[in-house]
Amino acid sequence: MRLRFAPSPTGQIHVGNARTALFNWLMARGAGATFVLRIEDTDFARSTKEAEGSAIEDLRWLGLNWDEGADAGGAHGPYRQSERLHIYRAHAVELMSKGQAYHCFCSEEQLEMDRYQALRNMQPPKYVGRCRNIPREEVRRRVEGGEPATVRFRVPDGDREVGWEDLVRGRVAFTTDVIGDFVMLRSDGVPAYNFAVVIDDALMEISHVIRGEDHISNTPRQLLLYEAFGWKPPRFGHVSMVLGPDHAKLSKRHGATSVGEFRERGYLPEALANYLALIGWSPGEHQELLPLGELATRFRIEDVGKSAGVFDPEKLAWVNRHYLKIAAPERLVELALPFLRQQGWIGREGRDPKALDFLAKAVGTAAQSVDRLDQVPGRLHFLFDYSAEASLADPAIRAEATDARAVIAALAGELATAGPLTDKETFRALAGRVRERTGARGKGLFHPIRLALTGEPEGLELDIAVPLIEQGAAIHNAEVRAVFSAADRAAAFLLELEKPVANA
Ligand code: GLU
């Protein structure tokens, strides 16, 4: 068995295409088959090297790999269509010599007129066949005279059915009378998609073609080409499109649509890949969260649903949360660094082990309660961007709230003499002493403490947040923005409270 994914490098990889790539990969890996990456870059105006590079990077990032391909080599290369033009030409010549293809001299304007006429007569817009039977001699003369010509496939005469057993959709069939003679080579010698794809799939010995259902209407044309060459066609499976939650094609207005955008927002690759596999397919009841290798052993293309897959951001968030929770803290730090850097909280240089250990704890803790890594900074403001002023408006500590003020005064007093609160126990012990001194308890005790030490009305458990603050405060280097200690925070907060103007 040999499978392939054949992206056109004209932009970022859309998650719908990534899912098609993934289904091919799952099928290949599950069967121990060969997986090929072919670059379909014959649309020279829109294809770019950057897009090819980013497609490869995105697929790798998702955890996919391939045995043969544009960047990997292999015995069936080249794997980039722009490097195979001579192969397409040779095959076009072969069909022409057998009378199954012919030169067409119709101009774009003429074809446009034909299409318009057909539309007016409520006919399917297919090629009218004007150049089908031009005598050989005349063709030679015109071609030699430099008249631009495309090469068209001669669809066999007579109406008959062209169909296939689709691996996803079951029997699909078209009749040849709706298929006009189609272009194989454009006048500049560049192949049209339907022609190139058949030559490539045949010569690359692809046995199973899994692709988007937007290609269904191309398949009968491709089957006719296989027939003309006397080649055995591959099995086809056309998977549904991925739609947005409103059942419209997933597009920009739904938010992120490309793999690159999901990566930038801090989704983990294993989460996105796992989630994409779940659109229209399920590895089994209550067993949705599985590594790719495991999914591959369970995957059967026949089990993929025919109906459109709906992209569910909530479910993706759920899958991502799962993988964030089980990810190694060191890895999360690596992935979260760009987001922390954007905030100016950490520098670029060096990797002090103490700083790294602190960041790992901070990011690891924050990652327990976010959907995506780009939300991590929001959870760490209390550490790096502490501000006493921000909390002064909190109703709990307005001038008349004497109890809360007493708590903060006692807190500052205790902290001034205590050592750093490096773990849960020392923090709890300190909170106990503040309670004894003030008589405050429960929310009356902890809310003012929270405001004073984190500058925020809610957030992480205090016995986790406070040791983190203290650990950060112990690091003095250029890599991490200075974190104020609990004692400094309480003192600063008290000072703010005592400013007469601020309390007015
Ligand atoms: N380059 C085509 C696309 O991206 C591939 C279609 C196919 O798999 O045959 O849609």
Coordinates of all heavy atoms in Angstrom, one line a residue, residues 68 97 142 149 158 174 216 225 230 241 248 250 286-287 297 300 311 321 346 350 361 363 374 416 419 460 475:
E68 N 8.8 9.2 1.7 CA 9.3 9.8 0.4 C 8.7 11.1 0.3 O 7.5 11.4 0.7 CB 8.9 8.9 -0.8 CG 9.4 7.5 -0.7 CD 8.8 6.6 -1.8 OE1 8.4 7.2 -2.9 OE2 8.8 5.4 -1.7
S97 N -0.5 10.6 -29.6 CA -0.1 9.7 -30.7 C -1.2 8.5 -30.8 O -1.4 8.0 -31.9 CB 1.3 9.1 -30.5 OG 1.2 8.2 -29.4
R142 N -0.2 24.6 -37.9 CA -0.5 25.7 -36.9 C 0.4 25.7 -35.7 O 0.8 26.7 -35.2 CB -2.0 25.6 -36.5 CG -2.9 25.9 -37.6 CD -4.4 25.6 -37.3 NE -5.0 26.6 -36.4 CZ -6.3 26.6 -36.0 NH1 -7.1 25.6 -36.5 NH2 -6.8 27.5 -35.2
A149 N -1.5 26.6 -28.3 CA -2.5 25.5 -28.3 C -2.4 24.8 -26.9 O -1.3 24.6 -26.4 CB -2.2 24.5 -29.4
G158 N -19.9 8.5 -26.9 CA -21.0 7.6 -26.4 C -21.2 7.9 -24.9 O -20.2 8.2 -24.2
F174 N -20.6 9.0 -12.4 CA -21.0 10.1 -13.3 C -21.2 9.5 -14.7 O -20.7 8.4 -14.9 CB -19.8 11.1 -13.3 CG -19.6 11.9 -12.1 CD1 -18.9 11.3 -11.0 CD2 -20.0 13.2 -12.0 CE1 -18.7 12.0 -9.8 CE2 -19.8 13.9 -10.8 CZ -19.1 13.4 -9.8
I216 N -14.3 15.4 -5.8 CA -15.1 14.3 -6.3 C -15.4 14.4 -7.8 O -15.3 13.5 -8.6 CB -16.5 14.2 -5.6 CG1 -16.3 13.6 -4.2 CG2 -17.5 13.3 -6.3 CD1 -17.5 13.4 -3.4
L225 N -8.6 9.0 -17.6 CA -7.1 9.1 -18.0 C -6.4 7.7 -17.6 O -5.7 7.2 -18.4 CB -6.4 10.2 -17.2 CG -6.7 11.6 -17.8 CD1 -6.2 12.7 -16.9 CD2 -5.9 11.8 -19.2
G230 N -4.2 2.7 -19.8 CA -4.2 1.3 -19.5 C -3.7 1.0 -18.1 O -3.1 0.0 -17.9
M241 N -15.7 18.0 4.0 CA -15.1 19.3 4.4 C -15.3 19.5 5.9 O -16.1 18.9 6.5 CB -15.8 20.4 3.6 CG -15.8 20.4 2.1 SD -14.1 20.9 1.5 CE -13.4 19.3 1.1
A248 N -21.1 26.8 8.1 CA -20.6 27.4 6.8 C -19.1 26.9 6.8 O -18.5 26.5 7.8 CB -20.6 28.9 6.9
L250 N -15.4 26.4 7.1 CA -14.6 27.0 8.1 C -13.7 28.1 7.5 O -12.9 27.8 6.6 CB -13.7 26.0 8.8 CG -12.9 26.4 10.0 CD1 -13.8 26.8 11.1 CD2 -11.9 25.4 10.4
H286 N -15.6 6.9 24.7 CA -14.8 7.3 25.8 C -13.3 7.1 25.7 O -12.6 6.9 26.7 CB -15.3 6.6 27.1 CG -16.8 6.7 27.3 ND1 -17.5 7.9 27.4 CD2 -17.8 5.7 27.4 CE1 -18.8 7.7 27.5 NE2 -19.0 6.4 27.5
Q287 N -12.9 7.0 24.5 CA -11.4 6.7 24.3 C -10.9 7.7 23.2 O -10.2 7.3 22.3 CB -11.2 5.3 23.8 CG -11.8 4.3 24.7 CD -11.2 3.0 24.5 OE1 -11.2 2.5 23.3 NE2 -10.6 2.4 25.5
T297 N -3.5 2.6 14.9 CA -3.8 1.2 14.9 C -5.3 1.0 14.9 O -5.8 0.0 14.5 CB -3.2 0.5 16.1 OG1 -3.8 1.1 17.3 CG2 -1.7 0.7 16.3
R300 N -9.8 3.3 10.6 CA -10.2 2.6 9.3 C -10.9 3.7 8.5 O -11.9 4.3 9.0 CB -11.2 1.5 9.6 CG -10.5 0.2 10.2 CD -11.5 -0.9 10.5 NE -12.1 -1.4 9.2 CZ -13.4 -1.3 9.0 NH1 -14.2 -0.7 9.8 NH2 -13.9 -1.8 7.8
F311 N -16.3 21.8 13.0 CA -15.2 22.2 13.9 C -15.7 22.8 15.2 O -16.5 23.8 15.2 CB -14.3 23.3 13.2 CG -13.0 23.4 13.8 CD1 -11.9 22.7 13.5 CD2 -12.8 24.4 14.9 CE1 -10.7 22.8 14.1 CE2 -11.6 24.5 15.5 CZ -10.5 23.7 15.1
R321 N -6.6 21.2 26.9 CA -6.5 21.3 28.3 C -5.9 19.9 28.8 O -5.0 19.9 29.7 CB -7.8 21.5 29.0 CG -8.2 23.0 29.0 CD -9.3 23.3 30.1 NE -10.5 22.6 29.8 CZ -11.5 23.0 29.0 NH1 -11.4 24.1 28.4 NH2 -12.6 22.3 28.9
I346 N 10.6 38.2 30.4 CA 11.9 37.5 30.5 C 12.8 37.9 29.3 O 12.3 38.4 28.3 CB 11.7 35.9 30.4 CG1 10.9 35.6 29.2 CG2 11.1 35.4 31.6 CD1 10.9 34.1 28.9
G350 N 20.8 33.5 27.9 CA 21.2 32.6 28.9 C 20.1 31.7 29.5 O 18.9 32.0 29.2
K361 N 7.9 26.1 37.2 CA 6.8 26.0 38.2 C 5.7 27.0 37.8 O 4.5 26.6 37.9 CB 7.4 26.3 39.5 CG 8.0 25.2 40.2 CD 7.8 25.2 41.7 CE 8.6 24.1 42.4 NZ 10.0 24.4 42.6
V363 N 4.9 28.4 34.9 CA 4.1 28.1 33.7 C 3.3 26.8 33.9 O 2.2 26.7 33.5 CB 5.1 27.9 32.5 CG1 4.4 27.4 31.3 CG2 5.7 29.3 32.1
D374 N -1.4 30.8 25.0 CA -1.4 32.3 25.0 C -2.2 32.9 26.1 O -2.2 34.1 26.2 CB -1.8 32.8 23.6 CG -3.3 32.5 23.3 OD1 -4.0 31.8 24.1 OD2 -3.8 33.0 22.3
A416 N 7.3 41.1 57.9 CA 8.6 41.9 58.1 C 9.6 41.1 58.9 O 10.8 41.2 58.8 CB 8.3 43.2 58.8
G419 N 10.7 34.7 57.7 CA 11.6 34.4 56.5 C 10.7 34.2 55.3 O 9.5 34.4 55.4
L460 N -5.0 32.1 41.5 CA -4.5 30.8 42.0 C -4.7 30.6 43.5 O -4.8 31.6 44.2 CB -3.0 30.7 41.8 CG -2.4 30.5 40.4 CD1 -0.9 30.5 40.4 CD2 -2.9 29.1 39.9
I475 N 15.2 35.3 42.9 CA 16.1 35.2 41.7 C 16.5 36.7 41.3 O 15.6 37.5 41.1 CB 15.3 34.6 40.5 CG1 15.0 33.2 40.8 CG2 16.2 34.7 39.2 CD1 14.1 32.5 39.8

